[in-house]
Amino acid sequence: MDKSVPLERMVFFSDAVFAIALTLLALDLKLPAGIAPERLTAELIDGIPELVAFALSFVIVARVWMSHHTDFFRIREFSPQLAWLNMLLLFFIVMLPATTSVLSDYGGNPGPWPSVLYAATISGVYLTLAGMWTYAWRKGLTEDSVDAHEHWRVFRGRIIPPSVFLLSIPAAFFLGSNTPYLWFLLVPAALVSRSLSRNKVS
């Protein structure tokens, strides 16, 4: 059997899981049945937190899927350990619709747990993605063009986003429902990540 077949099957399976996760995110976007016409505007306004949570999760899943595809253009060899790391990544991906729903439904409460669960899930996604990339490189599963500079360039880009979410976990016990405002740090974090990716490893 062609050695590339297990790797291709793993990627195809992963694509299906990503697609299902995006679909499940959208299923949570619904208004209560039987809304009176005069209440429609108020219900739409009340639904803004759900829409924002959906948009954030959609963007994250989409970016992770694109990163996953980019990685597997350069990962050429299959190993069972890599497959298990990939399954761990998919575990966090399929958990995301549930934690997004908790955040959108209960994020306005003063307790920290909706934000903690969401931030922990996102952190798990990015840390596992970074771990997969490093494992593949160290075990020689990547193509020859992936040198130390390229490995660390990609790795830094994967570590910066979860650092923001990990920071927000202890902060949630003090900030409560205001914790998601910390996630706006993702914007400057992304700019820092992009700047670092252009620099060579010293």
Side-chain angles (χ1 to χ4, degrees):
M1 183 175 66
D2 188 343
K3 291 183 179 180
S4 65
V5 170
L7 193 65
E8 291 176 356
R9 291 187 64 186
M10 186 175 74
V11 173
F12 291 154
F13 175 75
S14 301
D15 286 347
V17 173
F18 276 102
I20 292 169
L22 289 174
T23 302
L24 292 176
L25 283 173
L27 290 179
D28 203 44
L29 293 176
K30 55 186 177 182
L31 293 173
I35 298 174
E38 63 273 12
R39 285 286 306 161
L40 180 59
T41 300
E43 291 291 344
L44 289 172
I45 293 173
D46 290 343
I48 289 176
E50 287 84 355
L51 181 60
V52 171
F54 163 78
L56 176 60
S57 296
F58 185 95
V59 169
I60 288 172
V61 173
R63 287 183 62 86
V64 171
W65 176 76
M66 288 188 286
S67 296
H68 188 271
H69 258 253
T70 300
D71 287 356
F72 279 94
F73 276 123
R74 292 176 288 183
I75 295 173
R76 298 300 188 183
E77 299 288 337
F78 174 86
S79 79
Q81 292 79 12
L82 181 65
W84 278 111
L85 284 172
N86 191 70
M87 292 301 293
L88 180 60
L89 172 67
L90 298 181
F91 167 80
F92 287 115
I93 290 293
V94 298
M95 281 290 295
L96 191 54
T99 54
T100 301
S101 180
V102 171
L103 180 68
S104 62
D105 290 343
Y106 302 103
N109 294 344
W113 294 111
S115 295
V116 167
L117 291 172
Y118 187 81
T121 303
I122 298 298
S123 298
V125 167
Y126 276 101
L127 292 175
T128 306
L129 191 66
M132 287 175 57
W133 173 250
T134 293
Y135 174 84
W137 180 70
R138 291 190 181 277
K139 294 298 182 179
L141 305 178
T142 57
E143 59 187 16
D144 294 339
S145 62
V146 180
D147 56 13
H149 162 59
E150 178 65 10
H151 164 255
W152 287 111
R153 182 190 70 81
V154 174
F155 183 80
R156 282 196 303 265
R158 304 287 163 76
I159 287 297
I160 290 177
S163 67
V164 173
F165 285 99
L166 288 172
L167 173 67
S168 73
I169 291 176
F173 291 89
F174 303 96
L175 297 178
S177 61
N178 293 316
T179 303
Y181 290 111
L182 278 179
W183 301 337
F184 284 107
L185 290 173
L186 285 170
V187 176
L191 295 176
V192 169
S193 175
R194 185 174 301 175
S195 176
L196 288 174
S197 70
R198 293 171 181 162
N199 298 326
K200 291 186 177 181
V201 176
S202 57

